[in-house]
Amino acid sequence: MAPLEVIGAGYGRTGTDSLRTALNMLGYKTHHMKSFREDPTLDGADFYHAYYHRQEADWDKIYENYSAAVDWPTAAFYKELHAYYPDAKLILTVRSADSWYTSVKNTIASAQQRKRSEHSANQVGQDKDKARMAEVTCLDGRLADPEQFNDEEAIKRAFLEHNEEVKRIIPADQLLVMELGEGWDRLCQFLGKQVPNAPYPHVNSTKEHKRRREERRMKNEEDKRREN
């Protein structure tokens, strides 16, 4: 069971999926919110319980088989993970508050709000565990709550305050602040890795996110029709 070597403190929609892809190319196995759809061994209930009982969380079990973790839910736990894995390096992915809010509004927030209003009653088992975990760990539930999320200035302020908190808490020699759209150079220097002979990945744009979400929606509807 390898301890986490890299911890991503940046919120979702700051280039975290591109960073996940880049870290995997550098030899890490990287956890991301997407991992819950790809790795059947992950249990959303573990992360949900950890959110409310952080001192009791078995981080080695929760992140078993992963050597790096970025995006939510990890960003919600970065302080606890930093304390538990004191030698790990932290990466804070950032972008402008305006562009971040717009991206979240068109992707994660709209999806969570729709799920909360339309599908929560039909979710059972692991699907329900994943949904409630994602809801609470993504900005403490504020993305899924239309009233709170529509207070744009408050949400952007929370984003900026989180970034400043990370920079204040994490020692400078353990932290890389990485702007959206950056390439390999500073990342590889920070991690002590050679720059790959391939372009830095750019994945999961708003357009790609919406396309995949629609594909999943259509697949779910088709599965329900077959069951009936």
Side-chain angles (χ1 to χ4, degrees), residues 11 27 59 117 129 148 150:
Y11 281 169
W59 299 115
S117 63
D129 290 338
Q148 290 192 72
N150 287 339

Side-chain angles (χ1 to χ4, degrees), residues 196-212:
N197 187 25
Y200 186 87
H202 295 284
V203 299
N204 202 25
S205 66
T206 295
K207 183 177 180 179
E208 290 173 1
H209 189 284
K210 287 182 174 181
R211 176 182 56 77
R212 285 196 303 272

Side-chain angles (χ1 to χ4, degrees), residues 97 161 165 169 198 215:
E161 288 174 352
E165 179 191 75
I169 290 176
E215 289 173 353

Side-chain angles (χ1 to χ4, degrees), residues 3 10 12-13 18 24 43 55 58 61 68 91 93 115 119 122 141 144 158 162 175 178 199-200 208 212:
R13 307 309 302 167
S18 295
N24 288 344
D43 188 348
Q55 299 307 312
D58 186 348
K61 176 181 180 296
I91 300 174
T93 44
K115 287 179 181 178
H119 302 301
N122 298 323
H162 168 80
L175 177 65
M178 193 170 180
Y200 186 87
E208 290 173 1
R212 285 196 303 272

Side-chain angles (χ1 to χ4, degrees), residues 176 178 182-196 200:
L176 173 66
M178 193 170 180
E182 271 199 61
W184 287 114
D185 290 347
R186 290 201 313 127
L187 175 64
C188 290
Q189 182 179 13
F190 179 66
L191 298 175
K193 302 284 188 178
Q194 289 190 336
V195 175
Y200 186 87

Side-chain angles (χ1 to χ4, degrees), residues 26-200:
L26 293 175
Y28 299 95
K29 183 175 181 184
T30 310
H31 186 280
H32 182 279
M33 186 67 82
K34 277 185 173 182
S35 302
F36 292 97
R37 293 195 299 269
E38 301 168 354
D39 183 352
T41 69
L42 286 173
D43 188 348
D46 288 339
F47 289 81
Y48 181 79
H49 185 270
Y51 179 83
Y52 289 107
H53 306 282
R54 301 183 186 212
Q55 299 307 312
E56 302 171 14
D58 186 348
W59 299 115
D60 287 334
K61 176 181 180 296
I62 288 172
Y63 287 99
E64 188 174 10
N65 300 321
Y66 289 90
S67 57
V70 301
D71 196 61
W72 282 307
T74 298
F77 303 132
Y78 84 91
K79 285 182 284 189
E80 291 79 12
L81 293 172
H82 171 58
Y84 192 78
Y85 301 110
D87 295 328
K89 296 188 175 184
L90 279 86
I91 300 174
L92 175 65
T93 44
V94 298
R95 66 189 298 179
S96 75
D98 289 338
S99 68
W100 173 79
Y101 183 86
T102 299
S103 180
V104 171
K105 180 178 181 179
N106 290 328
T107 55
I108 305 171
S110 61
Q112 288 195 356
Q113 290 169 23
R114 190 189 71 252
K115 287 179 181 178
R116 176 187 272 195
S117 63
E118 296 178 3
H119 302 301
S120 58
N122 298 323
Q123 290 174 334
V124 296
Q126 288 194 348
D127 285 343
K128 185 174 183 179
D129 290 338
K130 292 175 188 176
R132 67 178 186 168
M133 174 277 300
E135 182 172 314
V136 298
T137 60
C138 292
L139 204 54
D140 304 314
R142 282 177 276 184
L143 304 191
D145 184 332
E147 183 176 351
Q148 290 192 72
F149 185 74
N150 287 339
D151 188 343
E152 180 175 345
E153 292 309 310
I155 296 295
K156 290 192 294 190
R157 185 165 58 250
F159 169 71
L160 294 172
E161 288 174 352
H162 168 80
N163 292 344
E164 290 305 311
E165 179 191 75
V166 174
K167 289 185 276 188
R168 186 173 64 251
I169 290 176
I170 306 302
D173 62 347
Q174 283 185 268
L175 177 65
L176 173 66
V177 180
M178 193 170 180
E179 292 279 350
L180 182 70
E182 271 199 61
W184 287 114
D185 290 347
R186 290 201 313 127
L187 175 64
C188 290
Q189 182 179 13
F190 179 66
L191 298 175
K193 302 284 188 178
Q194 289 190 336
V195 175
N197 187 25
Y200 186 87

